């Protein structure tokens, strides 16, 4: 089985227990996570061969990131070791009317300061047929935009499918920088994942009449955004996640897939959220798995959205669910009965 | 006060904290529970004299089960000590669209390997007027079907009321075995507790038009099931719990009692679930308490369903609530205001 | 900036983890809280200069109360040190149909046994322009009614604004005692905070057709209560909180302000509750902050109710939120999106 | 088997985790303990029938004390229920050069305010042959001295053996009060347990040349103290524990028994301490067990000191060890090898 | 680099926190461990390629064992999946004069019920040059003796070095069975690891004048045992660990290597023990690493004993230390200074 | 009372629980600490007015540092707010032969990037009479050497006593840089604190025949080092701490004070260590307190060394002990008896 390669930053995630506010007491849950690492772990849990690429220091905090990936069977052999620090993000989970908070402390991390010479893409892709990254990776700055460009070019040349989750982060770069860099990268992308905001923030592509703070979905708007991305940048498939934030505890969740011809809307889930971080990443992983497995378009989007619905009931960035569990939910059993 | 005797298996329950998946981290909550033990504890908490019968090893894990029952004042003097292992069940609590999971590791337990000579029912029932067991006990196999038969025969002969919760578990026995064994036992039963599935799984008794994965209750269907059980097997009272599983977090909960003449439907509760395991057992205990206390039929079913509604807001198998708390809820105060 | 002084009892709060019942296991969360202390902390978190007055023993349990207040920057220099015990309250958080429980063990605390000579109000108020207390303080009995009377008289003489949250507690005093004492104190109060029950319990003031266990709000009833308080006792502003207890987990929350002329109703929040204790106190603090900041009447009540809505999503008595967070919610963003 | 009755106060013990100082963080371990309750639990763990007498409130904190005793099989049927509060003690465990700290908050507890009519000693002693109490019980003041006197008189009249651990607590009463009260009580005591300080504090009986802060044992001094107690007060057996406090972490531990004729010194243990609270109580329980079991004098003191050595390796007040474990240690195996 | 293959049972280890006794509270630490798995993890931590062979169920508890090995980079691809249960062992850590306790619940595990057909040794050894097992594996009974025999024969035929840690467990088999089975297996073993008891229990080989409960080492005795094992069974190297159990908290620790010609005694360590389980396994792993790395005989035994000294300061079965850390200790720095 | 000002970096300290290795599980204890902050907290706990100066971001992680200082009553009003990150250090506590590990992630912190304009020393020192810093502060690089120089010059001009703990950290700067910068700063220092290594690392001052990895103290060597520092740099008092690292768990601890005329050696403590980090800082604080309190030279060094002995029995960087506790230990009671 050919591998799926993902490339990005894995961070130490420090999170107060339960619904405590930052430093409300003296305990933090310490796990690891990051957009592309989350995808890599999901894929491994789905039974795919999954290889994750990044740069990490040799000390125990860096080693911990490697170990946490190996735990799920992710291939970590292509991770470059070096540099001084692992990026950190502090996450405070919200509840009800109080939103979650995130404090990034990721500047100067080993991957953010990486060189082009740290990654031999030809070798990395030798046993792979899919490459996935997100907009966060080039947004780290430094040499990352050019490293990403080299990666996608090599991937395309070697015949890999390339997917990208736009994942715009205003704290990492401006819309102008994002547009400039992503416009170069998107050309090599086969499958683009986004939410409506991303499309606007990165490419200035907008759909009318959709208010992300409200709850009404504007189906035509999403279609229009997906089609624009496909038409302008030559992307073959565009998937858009549709989150309705009722509160920090309750969200509506669904998604749409445009396969170049038709638009496929998934079922809609009412989620009582345990941990929403990584929801988009688990969607991306579900999409990759379902496409690689040859599912039809409707099944693809149902699998992806069910996978990400389940993720939001799981603590931590990583989606600890199996294909069987995703299929059970996608198949209609959201009753939550005990599996004895 | 004459005692209520319950007989069955108490297991070590190992459960990840909060909504963690199995082994998501290195901590497990270790408590004890099991259908009949749960009933015994509920009854003790309601102020009844409650005696629990089983077989447990002498080592610390077996002793812990005894201690956990004594904590609530359950009479453990009739527990036979011996054998090698305590049954274990691993429980992962679900949330929202993710269901709970249960992994049983109960084969070869001391009780599953018990002999008829381990229990002197005449002595056990000497100070009792009620005997309760569930379909799980004979389902453990080995000598348990005949031990149970001896128990119910002795109980009847000595004038005890006998109650049985059908509690069908497909992982323990086939429908055929269940029907064969339970058909013998049910003859000695005065009060039968079931959910609609149980009646079908054990006796093949069905009601039309009820979909347990949906939420619509078919009142006529339940009546029909209860009446069939009463008519065919000569049971005096049949109580059926009605769960609507909206998700792992939200359930509808109510119940019906057939007293041989009339059908009594309880109020309906919308539950935000803390721990659903033991919900049925707490219902059974509520039923026994209310019947023994001479409540009228409507009050019996209201007490039982309120008791089990409260249980589902309590962590662990055991229902840690008092009669006063059950009556307050049954009396209409579900507002959850602080009791200062 | 002139300080806001609050006066009352701060207790050690002992609470089982999560939704455990009292002593369900061997761990308790130990924090501090008390009506007026909660207000003091909220105000400090809002950036006001806040001074808290009480009496506390010199031992480590007393010192812990001082430390917990200093943590937030509350001025503790006016706390009298002495006496033997810190009041304790045991709090068991409810869930769904199971209400929260509170066991008070506060008798004989240092503050309950305080003397008039323990507090030099002239000195305490020297750098202050606002004095806040609640009906709990005089309800502690002993010398507290006369100490409170001396405090409010001194405050008025020195030109401070005086606010009082009626906060009737039937376990501390009878309605008769409450009415007798509070009638003396209310004369010196400029801003009165209450819920409908308080007005009835303390002063016998009632509004028709409001059932606190139901959910329907009777707007005219609230207006009538507020106006009566203002008219009878010469209070300038009356604020009433309106809680609809659907269950221990779900509450409706809103409030009304009467400024002597008009009635201002806040937005209504559907809360999924993390910890409801201190909800009223955080409302009082929001009110004081907004009035001191010169907000218009509608903004005052919106700020107060948003502040207290947020509190109920925070563990512990203290409201750990900033003005910015309150304004974001009051401004309409209850979506709970991640603040990255 | 006739029961051993113990009488005293059981308190809620609140202790920071590990070696944390008071309130260093927001968690407390909540267990129960008290001199005589500790003895009752030890005896139950040794397989004796053990009945504990006290007065406890009906609320959950009082009930928790009952439950914690029942857990070990202690007979709690003679506990009077009533009153408002359970005594509390805050315990901070020391380490190395830092000593442990104890803050008592036990005034006004239900037992401290008990009446003579709360206890029907004739009924309590009906199925007993031994009565044990400590000097702490009369030191609680109020009616306790006279209740104790009634208890010991009744016990003697009914033929029970009476044992008393002097256990002088300067925070509860003065030496003068102690001497006055204990002089009355000691007359009815058959077995007296003390450490050298107790004898001096309570009765003014001293041995020369022993410095409790040092480590040298003065064997002749102990003999002299024991003999004086026996001679003056007519006590049949006197046992004295000999603790050498090297540091909070390391203690020497041994004991001496005077049986009216001879002096028996136990082996000496070097203890690395896990929790020293309850060490003396577990010694008393070991003594009672060994005397009741008819051990010879040397075996009695070896059993008692081994039991208490083990206790000091166990968290909490209660000695969770079996007779088998005590005998193994007393028999010479202190190697701590794994019992596989 | 050729792999080291280990074969045996990995169990779920359930351990109360800190020095709590079994079920003293409701939390258990859940990790995995087992003699050969511990060796596999140590070797992976030392940077060797390490492959672990066993049989494990497909459910989450079985998967958790796989994941815990992958975390350290152990090759788990040769683990057969199937069967129903994972062996469990309950471990209670001792302290001071109280020894550790171990309750095994490992009967009927997937590996204990494995068939010869579950393991294709030719394929398993294809990329390996060392095979390690312990006496526990054949002691599991069933087909394990013959599976082990097939494994060692295949290993020898394929030119692997074979090592075996005798590890006699009286709860698993009798001395007679052990001798009978191990005599067959030892013929294929190149490196034998034992403690003095093992040699006696398994082969009846004894050295005079050594008391394992005392502390005096009898060097000549150890030499004699090692030489006998080598001479009788044709083993090339014999390593013997020398533990002096002063108490559960303090142990002396050293070892001896006989390389067929000479006897090499390691340094002696005074250990303050954090977790002694897995001490012997970490010794074995150190030995394998050092021999494979071509260390001279004295360095081999120093490395092995330093590795195992460090293990006993680490929680859990697994030795989480690096070669660098072992070399630092073996090199003489036992000062425990902070590595900043 | 005039204040003691301290200046430096306070970091977030992340530490695995107990003796776990880094990331052995998913929990970290999160507290704050740093050389000068530790001194500030100690002094506040001793009852002195203590002001701490640094630069911290405005976000929750920065605010947490402020709050943690305010908790103890430290004056935080002179802390400049700004910058992006709080320095972090990961601390793994060693045990027995395994040393503690420390991973610094402190580069680019707000204080490390501070400007001279961030601190108005004239204003900061207005209410102070003592200024303390450590060699770590200038070692942070950037503008810190010149900021420190400005601070000490201003302090001297304004008549403050200046103390400095050399605290050489090889990971922060080279010996050359240290010598160059510290030579400028030491001229303004009245009280110098060091260990023997520091003197050598920073100034190249050596004493013969002292092996820091051994345990023998060379008193003449220490005298010589202290005298050289005093003579060469014009320092009035030099205090040297003498640590003997037997293992990570057991240390010898004492100190020497040179007051320009005589040498005063403290008592020697055998410590069983709970947390050694901050030991030197608590020594410094003890020294400052004792000198400011006018103790005689012998009492000064006894107080300082007892304070720091106690610190090493307390979790976290901060020394949570009172003057009374220090005096009790310095006065000779190291027995660790319970303070009831």
């Amino acid at each position: 089985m050919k591998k799926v390669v993902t490339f990005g930053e894995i961070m130490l995630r420090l999170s107060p227990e339960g619904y405590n506010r930052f430093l409300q007491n003296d305990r933090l849950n310490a796990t690891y996570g990051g957009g592309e690492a989350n995808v890599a772990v999901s894929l491994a849990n789905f039974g795919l061969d999954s290889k994750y690429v990044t740069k990490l220091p040799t000390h125990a905090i860096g080693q911990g990131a490697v170990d946490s990936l190996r735990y799920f069977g992710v291939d970590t052999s292509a991770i470059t070791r070096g540099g001084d620090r692992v990026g950190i993000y502090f996450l405070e989970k919200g509840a009800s009317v109080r939103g979650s908070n995130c404090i990034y402390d990721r500047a100067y991390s080993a991957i953010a300061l990486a060189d082009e010479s740290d990654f031999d893409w030809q070798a990395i892709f030798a046993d792979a047929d899919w490459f996935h990254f997100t907009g966060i990776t080039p947004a780290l700055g430094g040499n990352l935009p050019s490293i990403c460009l080299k990666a996608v070019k090599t991937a395309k040349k070697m015949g890999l499918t390339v997917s990208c989750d736009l994942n715009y982060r205003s704290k990492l770069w401006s819309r102008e920088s994002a547009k400039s860099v992503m416009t170069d990268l998107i050309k090599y992308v086969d499958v683009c994942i986004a939410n409506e905001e991303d499309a606007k923030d990165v490419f200035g592509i907008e759909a009318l009449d959709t208010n992300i703070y409200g709850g009404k979905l504007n189906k035509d708007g999403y279609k229009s955004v997906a089609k624009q991305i496909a038409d302008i940048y030559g992307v073959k498939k565009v998937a858009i996640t549709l989150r309705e934030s009722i509160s920090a505890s309750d969200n509506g969740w669904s998604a749409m897939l445009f396969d170049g011809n038709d638009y496929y809307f998934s079922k809609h889930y009412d989620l009582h959220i345990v941990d929403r971080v990584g929801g988009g990443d688990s969607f991306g992983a579900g999409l990759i798995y379902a496409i690689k497995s040859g599912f039809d378009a409707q099944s693809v989007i149902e699998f992806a959205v069910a996978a990400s619905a389940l993720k939001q009931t799981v603590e931590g960035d990583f989606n600890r669910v199996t294909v069987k569990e995703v299929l059970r939910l996608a198949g209609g059993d959201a009753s939550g009965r005990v599996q004895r």
Side-chain angles (χ1 to χ4, degrees), chain A:
Chain A
M1 184 166 51
K2 287 281 196 167
K3 288 181 177 167
V4 180
V5 175
T6 52
F7 174 51
E9 178 173 24
I10 183 166
M11 291 174 284
L12 180 63
R13 162 182 157 154
L14 299 171
S15 196
E17 295 179 331
Y19 298 113
N20 278 337
R21 305 225 66 183
F22 283 130
L23 298 163
Q24 185 162 349
N25 64 21
D26 64 348
R27 283 154 285 166
L28 291 173
N29 287 331
T31 54
Y32 288 90
E36 304 80 5
N38 301 346
V39 170
V41 167
S42 264
L43 293 174
N45 285 337
F46 291 157
L48 293 193
D49 282 345
S50 170
K51 181 193 284 193
Y52 180 66
V53 182
T54 192
K55 184 172 181 182
L56 283 167
T58 56
H59 57 47
I61 311 305
Q63 186 58 39
V66 172
D67 297 347
S68 75
L69 293 163
R70 287 198 303 210
Y71 181 87
F72 296 99
V74 172
D75 178 351
T76 60
S77 62
I79 295 176
T80 301
R81 302 302 294 271
D84 290 326
R85 71 182 307 259
V86 175
I88 292 173
Y89 83 100
F90 297 91
L91 177 73
E92 177 189 279
K93 292 205 292 183
S96 191
V97 296
R98 176 169 58 82
S100 296
N101 281 304
C102 195
I103 297 175
Y104 286 109
D105 179 14
R106 68 199 294 180
Y108 312 107
S109 69
I111 181 66
L113 301 179
D115 288 325
E116 284 202 29
S117 65
D118 282 325
F119 307 101
D120 175 354
W121 293 108
Q122 208 107 19
I124 290 167
F125 291 144
D127 57 355
D129 63 2
W130 193 295
F131 175 57
H132 176 78
F133 72 109
T134 79
I136 295 170
T137 310
L140 297 174
N143 303 311
L144 268 307
S146 60
I147 293 174
C148 284
L149 193 57
K150 194 161 171 192
V152 291
K153 282 185 178 173
T154 308
K156 286 314 290 181
K157 203 161 49 188
M158 294 175 70
L160 284 75
T161 303
V162 175
S163 58
C164 175
D165 184 337
L166 296 184
N167 237 335
Y168 178 70
R169 294 288 159 83
S170 61
K171 287 210 183 141
L172 291 177
W173 56 0
S174 66
R175 292 180 174 197
E176 291 67 39
S177 305
K179 184 165 190 180
S180 151
V181 168
M182 293 304 291
T183 301
D184 282 352
L185 294 170
I186 195 77
K187 294 173 199 158
Y188 302 91
V189 169
D190 300 288
V191 181
C192 176
I193 301 162
N195 60 40
E196 202 195 46
E197 283 180 279
D198 290 333
K200 182 175 167 193
D201 289 333
V202 176
F203 297 123
I205 294 174
E206 272 192 82
L208 299 175
D209 302 335
T210 306
N211 173 9
I212 59 151
Y213 290 101
K216 297 263 182 261
L217 291 180
N218 170 3
K219 289 199 169 186
D220 289 339
Y222 292 113
K223 291 179 180 176
S224 141
V225 166
K227 186 141 182 31
Q228 288 180 63
I229 293 174
D231 288 353
I232 299 172
Y233 299 108
V235 171
K236 291 175 197 136
K237 289 187 169 73
V238 179
I240 298 186
T241 56
L242 315 173
R243 185 186 292 277
E244 297 145 275
S245 288
I246 289 89
S247 74
S249 305
D250 291 287
N251 274 202
W253 184 250
S254 60
M256 185 200 79
L257 175 66
F258 174 57
D259 69 354
N261 295 306
D262 274 316
Y263 304 91
Y264 302 86
F265 281 84
S266 76
K267 269 186 288 197
H268 177 275
Y269 294 92
D270 290 319
L271 299 180
H272 191 76
I273 290 179
V274 171
D275 189 335
R276 58 184 282 167
V277 177
D281 305 321
S282 58
F283 174 82
L287 202 76
I288 294 170
Y289 175 82
I291 293 174
K292 282 203 67 172
S293 302
F295 288 19
D296 64 57
Q298 186 64 41
S299 299
V300 163
I301 196 67
E302 295 294 3
F303 187 90
V305 82
S308 50
L310 283 169
K311 160 60 201 75
Q312 294 174 71
T313 71
V314 174
E315 293 275 2
D317 272 49
F318 295 155
N319 196 15
R320 297 164 178 263
V321 301
T322 61
V323 167
K324 194 173 149 197
E325 291 176 310
V326 177
L327 290 176
R328 189 188 308 126
L329 178 58
D333 181 6
S335 69
R337 296 180 86 88
V338 183
Q339 304 298 325
R340 294 192 197 255

